[in-house]
Amino acid sequence: MNRILTTEIWHEAKKLAHTASGRKLAIAYVTADHIGLRSGDLLVADASPRAIRSGQTDAKLLAKLHKAGVIIHSREGLHSKVMLIGKYVVVGSANMSGSGLTDAAVLSDEPTIRSGVASFIAQLCTKKSRLDRDDIAALCKIEVVRTGWPKGKPKKPIRIRRLGNATWIVGVYSLKRAPTEDEQKRIDRATSDINEKLGAEAEEYDWIRWGKKGKFAKECRVGDTLIQVFNPKNGKGRAITRRRAVLLKRTEPNWIRIYISDETRDSREVGWQRFQRILRAAGYPRKVQSGSVQRLETEMARTIDRRWTRVK
């Protein structure tokens, strides 16, 4: 689904947020909570002293949200207006404020766009960017002189890695042995990094260990979407899930390790036979086996995703 929103941007966003499993926003300037952020939600905004001083972002609102359990990050120079609300994304021009300007946005549930937004937000969040109670208390002491657009340039530009936009079918297998002590340390560091970025406490993330050679290892990017074919050790009960976003890609001495988003309600796990029926219904021309690695054409990826819940 793709829709253009204009005057109803916040009405639609609030309606989606009411039943969504989670909400992650990267919106430059915030002076009002238009969607009802809750504990565990994530907000990235420009909460720099210059943005607070000019009245573009409201420190008192940030304090209220933080007290309610919202994880808040500040990135000076942020200009994005994107929201990840459950399985939907909203990408547009609207700050979360009462500016009264005429804005427009795209509402979409396209897997590739959702994965890209999820990865973009994850890249914005760092240990240094997360605001704690003392940080926000200091911002609340800044005298606000409403001058509109903040004066001056940000201290440092925000560096974002190029995001992927591909969809892959990837067959993976259970490892025959547990990770070595050295590997586990790297996994723990990566997991801690993702948790810090996304505001989770002690979540674990699925990962794929891959050799350094081959198309997938070289071309898979943060922001790509995976249709994962998981093959258990006994070879029975293959589970196929969709819409798994690539959150992090790390190079190790002997491997590439790719960390992917958790399964959600819209991942919709299916069995092997049903997956084959989905591919046939979508008109997919290639044979897919348990260990296949195939990059999909954009339109075919959309067609397969649309067939996912329709084929029994």
Side-chain angles (χ1 to χ4, degrees):
M1 179 189 71
N2 292 306
R3 283 178 54 200
I4 297 293
L5 305 177
T6 52
T7 56
E8 74 275 30
I9 292 173
W10 294 114
H11 173 76
E12 288 292 330
K14 186 174 183 178
K15 186 167 66 173
L16 293 172
H18 181 68
T19 56
S21 56
R23 291 145 289 274
K24 293 182 174 67
L25 286 66
I27 295 182
Y29 303 122
V30 178
T31 60
D33 178 9
H34 287 327
I35 69 169
L37 291 168
R38 310 170 196 170
S39 179
D41 290 347
L42 182 108
L43 171 65
V44 188
D46 185 344
S48 62
R50 60 197 282 274
I52 299 296
R53 189 174 296 110
S54 65
Q56 296 293 93
T57 295
D58 187 344
K60 291 182 179 179
L61 174 63
L62 298 184
K64 180 180 178 181
L65 293 174
H66 185 269
K67 186 177 180 179
V70 177
I71 296 104
I72 300 174
H73 289 259
S74 174
R75 294 304 300 261
E76 185 175 6
L78 182 71
H79 200 249
S80 70
K81 290 89 176 175
V82 299
M83 294 180 276
L84 179 61
I85 305 175
K87 70 176 184 178
Y88 295 97
V89 294
V90 180
V91 181
S93 62
N95 288 305
M96 198 150 66
S97 63
S99 64
L101 299 175
T102 302
D103 288 295
V106 174
L107 170 66
S108 176
D109 64 351
E110 291 269 346
T112 53
I113 298 176
R114 187 184 185 281
S115 295
V117 169
S119 300
F120 171 70
I121 292 174
Q123 285 193 61
L124 288 173
C125 301
T126 66
K127 291 181 180 180
K128 291 183 178 179
S129 70
R130 186 169 177 177
L131 301 181
D132 59 23
R133 183 176 60 182
D134 293 339
D135 295 326
I136 296 174
L139 293 175
C140 288
K141 294 178 181 178
I142 296 174
E143 182 182 358
V144 177
V145 181
R146 298 189 182 280
T147 58
W149 192 262
K151 296 180 179 179
K153 294 183 178 181
K155 294 179 181 179
K156 292 182 180 180
I158 299 174
R159 298 185 182 277
I160 298 293
R161 291 183 180 180
R162 178 185 169 191
L163 292 172
N165 191 41
T167 299
W168 302 81
I169 294 176
V170 181
V172 299
Y173 295 84
S174 299
L175 295 178
K176 294 181 179 179
R177 61 171 179 80
T180 65
E181 184 178 347
D182 189 50
E183 283 181 300
Q184 191 59 53
K185 287 180 180 179
R186 289 189 172 89
I187 293 168
D188 291 342
R189 283 197 296 269
T191 300
S192 176
D193 189 21
I194 298 173
N195 280 328
E196 183 69 33
K197 288 181 175 184
L198 300 182
E201 294 300 325
E203 296 288 338
E204 294 184 357
Y205 296 86
D206 288 345
W207 46 261
I208 298 171
R209 195 186 73 180
W210 208 265
K212 292 187 174 182
K213 296 181 180 180
K215 188 173 183 179
F216 182 65
K218 294 177 181 178
E219 297 183 9
C220 178
R221 288 181 173 277
V222 168
D224 281 355
T225 304
L226 304 187
I227 297 174
Q228 179 181 269
V229 180
F230 178 73
N231 298 277
K233 290 181 180 179
N234 60 12
K236 298 179 180 179
R238 295 189 189 100
I240 300 89
T241 50
R242 62 172 181 166
R243 298 187 174 190
R244 308 294 297 276
V246 176
L247 297 176
L248 190 66
K249 182 180 179 182
R250 288 276 172 90
T251 301
E252 300 179 6
N254 300 314
W255 315 98
I256 297 291
R257 204 174 300 268
I258 294 169
Y259 296 82
I260 58 179
S261 62
D262 292 334
E263 292 182 33
T264 59
R265 284 181 295 182
D266 64 308
S267 296
R268 298 288 178 90
E269 179 181 304
V270 299
W272 181 248
Q273 297 302 322
R274 184 174 173 184
F275 180 53
Q276 294 295 327
R277 291 195 295 272
I278 290 170
L279 295 178
R280 287 195 295 271
Y284 189 56
R286 301 175 64 184
K287 183 177 181 180
V288 176
Q289 298 178 322
S290 57
S292 291
V293 179
Q294 299 176 12
R295 181 171 178 165
L296 304 179
E297 295 293 333
T298 302
E299 190 53 45
M300 179 54 66
R302 292 193 185 110
T303 302
I304 291 173
D305 191 74
R306 286 194 293 266
R307 294 289 186 273
W308 203 269
T309 56
R310 298 177 185 175
V311 176
K312 302 300 181 181

